[in-house]
């Protein structure tokens, strides 16, 4: 049996860090309000020349280096983003060209904040069926470019960044490492609660993020607890077996509520929302890379990813490192 093992990770952030205090000089908000309601203290905002592809390329290069592989040997790139460089072609093809692995498979997936979970499950399926052997799964976003900077209810919540993992097909008896189970969902009836009010086929503009935050919050806690229960049940493992929960970093209060509902020790939850804010599809791989590089996540650990985003879409994966 083939398993897809994570053999490396990398991440990238724009140069400019914007604190809540700095934001409060431009928008009618305060550090106190943002910290109390979301746990966010700062975010990184892309400047001139920094794009979804440039961040993705940096994260991907670091992931290949971390895995100790030549980027030319990558035969599959799946990039999750809601903020591509261009409407087409896929931003993944820019990454492919920069890495010099032209000729393999490269495409984007659009599942907003759950994008990395959708990309990971897709890459896992493709590796297990033999379509590819060595994949890069990337989440990269420049959400700052689709924010309405006059809307204080959304613009304080998001940031830019990228995270990437190398996923390699291996015989499952090598060391037991790999994706154990994944579960994905979508509910198109909830479109109006979180969406962008533009697009090539409707307004011929990029549009801005619109959100009914309170309702999103309510759905997030219910959907995430459900999908996390599913991946555990499918694997025959329990929450007590999980070493690290790496959740989508939207809001510290959602993280707390989900951890409570699951019954996991808050010390086992990786939190980076204070530093990165919500980086949409980049948030899970960014948090994962942070916890791997600071030594928390180690070989052999059981790690659970989860995310929920516009659509709604939501998903989870259970991985043995
Ligand atoms: N600064 C100061 N005040 C703000 C503000 C800001 N940035 N944004 C909103 N407010 C005000 C509102 O105008 C409102 O004022 P009012 O009572 O005078 O009308 C008040 O704060 C409360 O607003 P409300 O939207 O009810 O706050 P909330 O407690 O629900 O918190 C969110 C707002 C967005 C932080 C919260 O709903 C949330 O986190 N939702 C989930 C969002 C999310 O994670 N989305 C991404 C999923 S991928």
């Amino acid at each position: 049996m083939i398993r897809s093992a994570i053999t490396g990770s990398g991440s990238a952030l724009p140069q400019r860090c914007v604190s809540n205090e700095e934001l409060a000089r431009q928008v009618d908000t305060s550090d106190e309000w943002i910290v109390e309601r979301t746990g966010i203290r700062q975010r990184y905002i892309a400047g001139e020349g920094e794009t979804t592809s440039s961040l993705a390329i940096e994260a991907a290069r670091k992931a290949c280096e971390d895995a100790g592989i030549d980027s030319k040997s990558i035969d599959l790139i799946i990039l999750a983003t809601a903020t591509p460089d261009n409407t087409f072609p896929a931003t993944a093809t820019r990454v492919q060209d920069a890495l010099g692995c032209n000729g393999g498979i490269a495409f984007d997936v659009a599942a907003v904040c759950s994008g990395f979970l959708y990309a990971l499950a897709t890459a896992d399926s493709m590796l297990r069926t033999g379509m590819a052997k060595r994949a890069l799964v990337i989440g990269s976003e420049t959400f700052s470019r689709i924010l309405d900077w006059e809307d204080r209810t959304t613009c304080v919540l998001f940031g830019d960044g990228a995270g990437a993992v190398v996923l390699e097909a291996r015989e499952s008896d090598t060391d037991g490492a790999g994706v154990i189970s994944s579960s994905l969902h979508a509910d198109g009836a909830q479109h109006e609660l979180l969406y962008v009010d533009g697009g090539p086929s409707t307004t011929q503009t990029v549009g801005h993020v619109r959100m009914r935050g309170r309702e999103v919050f309510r759905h997030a806690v219910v959907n995430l607890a459900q999908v996390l229960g599913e991946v555990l049940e499918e694997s025959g493992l329990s929450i007590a077996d999980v070493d690290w929960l790496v959740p989508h970093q939207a809001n510290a209060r959602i993280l707390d509520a989900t951890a409570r509902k699951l019954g996991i020790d808050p010390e086992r939850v990786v939190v980076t929302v204070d530093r990165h804010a919500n980086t949409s599809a980049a948030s899970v791989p960014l948090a994962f890379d942070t916890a791997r590089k600071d030594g928390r996540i180690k070989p052999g650990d059981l790690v659970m990813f989860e995310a929920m985003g516009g659509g709604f879409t939501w998903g989870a994966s259970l991985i043995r490192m």
Side-chain angles (χ1 to χ4, degrees):
M1 201 179 82
I2 294 173
R3 273 254 180 101
S4 319
I6 296 181
T7 57
S9 65
S11 56
L13 291 163
Q15 277 186 5
R16 183 167 166 238
C17 179
V18 178
S19 66
N20 290 346
E21 287 87 356
E22 187 179 342
L23 203 58
R25 288 198 283 276
Q26 299 149 34
V27 181
D28 180 19
T29 188
S30 65
D31 175 51
E32 197 188 1
W33 190 95
I34 302 171
V35 172
E36 195 191 306
R37 306 278 174 136
T38 72
I40 297 165
R41 294 182 184 275
Q42 60 175 45
R43 74 283 295 137
Y44 290 82
I45 302 289
E48 214 183 312
E50 291 176 319
T51 58
T52 293
S53 69
S54 74
L55 294 167
I57 291 162
E58 186 185 334
R61 283 201 173 117
K62 287 180 181 164
C64 290
E65 203 181 301
D66 185 43
I69 59 155
D70 182 350
S71 64
K72 292 189 177 57
S73 65
I74 296 286
D75 55 5
L76 168 66
I77 299 178
I78 309 184
L79 189 149
T81 191
T83 48
D85 284 18
N86 299 96
T87 302
F88 82 79
T91 304
T93 60
R94 283 192 183 253
V95 178
Q96 188 203 51
D97 188 42
L99 297 184
C101 50
N102 310 52
I105 307 165
F107 62 96
D108 291 357
V109 302
V112 207
C113 298
S114 323
F116 183 77
L117 275 299
Y118 269 70
L120 185 71
T122 306
D124 175 39
S125 305
M126 292 174 79
L127 292 182
R128 283 192 289 110
T129 55
M131 280 188 81
K133 297 219 162 348
R134 191 171 263 179
L136 261 172
V137 184
I138 308 169
S140 185
E141 301 276 17
T142 44
F143 246 59
S144 63
R145 307 229 157 103
I146 54 164
L147 293 174
D148 175 355
W149 289 97
E150 310 269 290
D151 176 10
R152 67 176 183 172
T153 69
T154 52
C155 75
V156 303
L157 304 175
F158 296 91
D160 302 333
V165 301
V166 173
L167 200 65
E168 297 193 62
R170 282 190 181 171
E171 286 303 322
S172 60
D173 55 6
T174 321
D175 55 6
V179 178
I180 297 169
S181 59
S182 294
S183 184
L184 302 173
H185 293 279
D187 177 6
Q190 309 301 337
H191 177 273
E192 296 307 310
L193 299 186
L194 179 54
Y195 67 106
V196 164
D197 62 1
S201 184
T202 49
T203 58
Q204 296 84 56
T205 63
V206 175
H208 292 118
V209 175
R210 303 294 172 210
M211 180 171 71
R212 304 220 305 254
R214 212 160 254 226
E215 283 143 278
V216 174
F217 194 115
R218 204 164 38 81
H219 282 274
V221 177
V222 174
N223 291 347
L224 291 172
Q226 170 229 342
V227 77
L228 288 167
E230 283 171 8
V231 289
L232 284 173
E233 199 182 315
E234 198 190 318
S235 64
L237 294 160
S238 82
I239 194 68
D241 299 313
V242 174
D243 295 294
W244 297 103
L245 174 64
V246 184
H248 171 49
Q249 309 286 320
N251 181 313
R253 282 156 60 219
I254 297 181
L255 302 188
D256 291 345
T258 308
R260 260 200 312 277
K261 233 178 156 134
L262 270 178
I264 190 169
D265 178 355
E267 297 285 306
R268 298 263 144 209
V269 182
V270 175
V271 180
T272 54
V273 68
D274 52 331
R275 281 172 280 166
H276 301 154
N278 181 348
T279 56
S280 185
S283 100
V284 169
L286 243 174
F288 173 70
D289 186 52
T290 303
R292 262 188 91 232
K293 299 286 161 68
D294 68 20
R296 275 180 288 173
I297 297 178
K298 296 186 181 65
D301 280 356
L302 188 65
V303 177
M304 201 151 68
F305 292 160
E306 54 92 322
M308 136 115 188
F312 288 146
T313 52
W314 64 104
S317 280
L318 197 59
I319 299 120
R320 178 72 67 189
M321 294 306 299

